[in-house]
Amino acid sequence: MTNEKQLGELRNRIDELDSRILDLINQRARCAQDVADVKTESLGEGEEAIFYRPEREAQVLTRIMETNPGPLSNEEIARLFREIMSACLALEKPTTVAYLGPEGTFTQQASLKHFGHSSVVRPMSTIDQVFREVEAGAVDYGVVPVENSSEGIVSHTLDSFMQSDLKIVGEVELRIHHNLMISTNTDPEKITRVYSHSQTLAQCRRWLDENYPGIDRIAVNSNAEAAKRVCGEWNSAAIAGDIAAELYDLKVLNERIEDRPDNTTRFLIIGRELTQPSGRDKTSVMLSARNKPGALLELLMPFKERGIDLTRLETRPSPTQKWSYVFFLDFAAHVKDSDVQEALDRLADIGCEVKVLGSYPVAVL
């Protein structure tokens, strides 16, 4: 068989597979429409259907990755299915999402990674505004950063939970890659200053010391704002992600300049309803107790005694009392698990105030 004939047969095979894939995707879409009809018909008067189910989506993606035979990687397969689910969900009801803007930020990238490109994402100027939009029902969900693997916690996000009844319904982990970029009218040899968010400048400190030791480092509100600023300047650069370079038509001089190659930011998905167990969940709680010797140990013992795996502990000043503190805990379990209920009941017995911020699926992607 000649190479040309063999290529022709393989292309015909690809065409046949594409037709089957097209038919199956549309069958799935029609099934999603039927799900929407069933949910709508079962509603009582004044009730609103909930179409997006975080636990169900996590279960589907996990199953797909566990049964993936390759050669595509689990991550690539999960991304494909995320977009299929996003498009199918949009047939039921487009998901509206508020995120910490402006356009071009990593929070926008995290929003699209979690909800897919068929969702409607809207930039907000502050974390507080993201919370307010979700609380008011103007959007279905919000996306806010909570911690970075090298720079630590985003305290404003934790503080917002003290004043809000919103729930955490999901999380996203995003590998953060920073690029040095300039406008098309900038001479790379004449850069005198670089703009970026303060955390980004910190995450690229060693690289800047080695490559641009003499230039001014100017902190701005976001990496997207940094990218926007250099559009009209001839001697400046910005540090931002790929999405900002595309949005503002900038030239990338150097890619992946972050000091730590495993640099990752975790984002929280906030909503108004509780999430059901997915089988692999995380719970976040806020605890406060009287300031006395051994108070923290007393708060942690109910979890240790029941073998509950604590994955994070953060402390924030109490907004109501000087020199008192509020503790934020994450642990690997769902609030409906019996051992978790026992631990929380024990905390209540010793006079601890407990606020469950949410139980949600562990990040799949």
Side-chain angles (χ1 to χ4, degrees):
M1 182 182 297
T2 64
N3 286 345
E4 193 62 35
K5 183 176 180 182
Q6 187 176 11
L7 285 173
E9 291 183 356
L10 289 171
R11 287 166 180 156
N12 288 337
R13 175 65 174 157
I14 288 174
D15 290 343
E16 293 173 5
L17 291 170
D18 286 344
S19 296
R20 289 169 58 188
I21 292 170
L22 177 63
D23 180 58
L24 289 171
I25 289 175
N26 279 293
Q27 284 187 47
R28 192 191 194 286
R30 284 189 288 271
C31 189
Q33 289 178 315
D34 292 340
V35 168
D37 291 341
V38 171
K39 287 183 177 180
T40 303
E41 290 171 1
S42 62
L43 291 177
E45 186 175 350
E47 291 183 332
E48 185 177 348
I50 298 174
F51 296 108
Y52 172 65
R53 298 297 297 270
E55 72 281 1
R56 169 62 179 161
E57 189 167 284
Q59 289 167 346
V60 171
L61 292 176
T62 299
R63 178 177 56 81
I64 291 298
M65 295 170 74
E66 289 175 347
T67 57
N68 173 36
L72 289 178
S73 69
N74 283 349
E75 185 170 346
E76 288 297 331
I77 283 292
R79 289 182 191 278
L80 288 171
F81 272 83
R82 172 78 81 192
E83 291 299 331
I84 291 172
M85 288 190 287
S86 177
C88 290
L89 184 61
L91 292 175
E92 302 176 50
K93 178 182 176 291
T95 304
T96 54
V97 182
Y99 68 90
L100 178 62
E103 286 186 283
T105 60
F106 287 114
T107 313
Q108 181 186 18
Q109 192 174 334
S111 303
L112 294 173
K113 179 181 180 181
H114 187 81
F115 289 101
H117 286 72
S118 294
S119 59
V120 179
V121 296
R122 301 172 183 170
M124 301 294 150
S125 57
T126 65
I127 289 174
D128 286 341
Q129 191 176 1
V130 175
F131 272 78
R132 287 196 298 269
E133 289 292 293
V134 181
E135 287 169 340
V139 295
D140 299 317
Y141 300 97
V143 180
V144 290
V146 69
E147 63 178 325
N148 178 265
S149 58
S150 59
E151 292 303 308
I153 202 69
V154 180
S155 57
H156 198 163
T157 295
L158 294 187
D159 292 345
S160 295
F161 282 109
M162 296 187 195
Q163 311 299 330
S164 176
D165 291 327
L166 292 179
K167 301 299 182 183
I168 304 171
V169 301
E171 65 174 1
V172 189
E173 291 184 356
L174 188 68
R175 289 290 295 273
I176 303 298
H177 297 303
H178 297 306
N179 305 323
L180 185 74
M181 55 192 69
I182 58 175
S183 68
T184 54
N185 59 352
T186 297
D187 184 347
E189 301 298 322
K190 296 182 179 180
I191 297 173
T192 61
R193 59 183 177 270
V194 59
Y195 298 110
S196 198
H197 189 274
S198 58
Q199 280 203 346
T200 300
L201 291 172
Q203 291 165 18
C204 303
R205 184 184 297 113
R206 288 199 301 272
W207 189 93
L208 288 171
D209 288 344
E210 293 172 3
N211 294 275
Y212 290 91
I215 66 173
D216 294 329
R217 304 175 191 183
I218 303 172
V220 294
N221 290 331
S222 69
N223 293 346
E225 180 183 332
K228 187 175 181 180
R229 281 198 183 198
V230 305
C231 289
E233 299 185 8
W234 60 269
N235 62 343
S236 64
I239 301 177
D242 294 334
I243 192 170
E246 295 172 8
L247 184 63
Y248 297 105
D249 193 26
L250 299 178
K251 177 184 177 182
V252 175
L253 285 183
N254 301 92
E255 296 181 325
R256 302 192 175 195
I257 66 172
E258 61 275 4
D259 295 333
R260 289 180 53 176
D262 61 346
N263 186 26
T264 301
T265 295
R266 178 172 170 244
F267 301 83
L268 297 178
I269 313 300
I270 54 175
R272 295 181 294 275
E273 69 281 341
L274 291 169
T275 301
Q276 298 301 310
S278 71
R280 186 166 174 259
D281 298 293
K282 183 183 291 185
T283 296
S284 297
V285 297
M286 185 174 74
L287 308 176
S288 58
R290 292 189 303 275
N291 189 8
K292 61 179 182 179
L296 179 56
L297 178 61
E298 193 174 31
L299 295 181
L300 298 180
M301 281 303 295
F303 299 98
K304 179 182 183 302
E305 291 168 351
R306 291 159 182 82
I308 299 171
D309 181 17
L310 297 180
T311 59
R312 186 170 65 98
L313 170 64
E314 299 289 342
T315 307
R316 295 294 301 151
S318 170
T320 58
Q321 190 173 355
K322 185 179 180 180
W323 305 122
S324 292
Y325 298 90
V326 175
F327 301 97
F328 290 85
L329 270 68
D330 288 353
F331 51 85
H334 195 280
V335 72
K336 289 190 174 183
D337 294 348
S338 58
D339 54 352
V340 173
Q341 287 292 322
E342 291 175 3
L344 297 183
D345 289 343
R346 175 58 185 154
L347 289 173
D349 290 341
I350 63 176
C352 174
E353 294 183 22
V354 181
K355 182 179 181 180
V356 178
L357 302 181
S359 290
Y360 46 94
V362 173
V364 178
L365 276 174

